[in-house]
Amino acid sequence: KNCPLYLFLNLNAENINTEIINVFLGTKGVPTYYRLDKDFANCNWNKWECNYVDFKLSSLKGNKVIYWQIKNDLYTSDAATETITLI
């Protein structure tokens, strides 16, 4: 079963000048696990502790795509993406 979910990178900024960004994950209900990475190929589930997570980007300038997904005992969301540009 899917659920609505949303993510804000650095308060929805389009451009940033630092490799460490603040990620806000949200959904209806309370997730128990999340996945957040530049690539889901080897991405593990992490225990949900709060809505904010610090995330480190690669140091190369340009567009960064962040993949994310959340779940609890009742549902797993679809994987989603968000883009931010490191300048």
Side-chain angles (χ1 to χ4, degrees):
K1 181 177 179 184
N2 292 320
C3 65
L5 69 160
Y6 50 92
L7 170 128
F8 296 107
L9 304 175
N10 274 24
L11 299 175
N12 229 18
E14 291 181 16
N15 300 307
I16 55 168
N17 60 4
T18 179
E19 296 170 24
I20 304 293
I21 61 172
N22 185 263
V23 179
F24 177 83
L25 300 157
T27 186
K28 182 179 177 182
V30 179
T32 52
Y33 292 92
Y34 72 95
R35 299 194 309 167
L36 176 73
D37 210 330
K38 300 167 284 244
D39 180 348
F40 265 179
N42 297 308
C43 185
N44 295 320
W45 288 101
N46 300 292
K47 184 174 178 165
W48 183 276
E49 295 180 5
C50 68
N51 288 40
Y52 288 94
V53 178
D54 284 335
F55 185 76
K56 183 171 180 166
L57 301 169
S58 67
S59 60
L60 298 173
K61 308 287 189 221
N63 288 342
K64 309 291 181 175
V65 178
I66 308 298
Y67 297 87
W68 53 289
Q69 191 173 23
I70 56 178
K71 71 177 182 176
N72 67 17
D73 293 342
L74 301 175
Y75 61 82
T76 299
S77 73
D78 290 332
T81 63
E82 194 67 42
T83 302
I84 195 163
T85 303
L86 180 60
I87 54 173

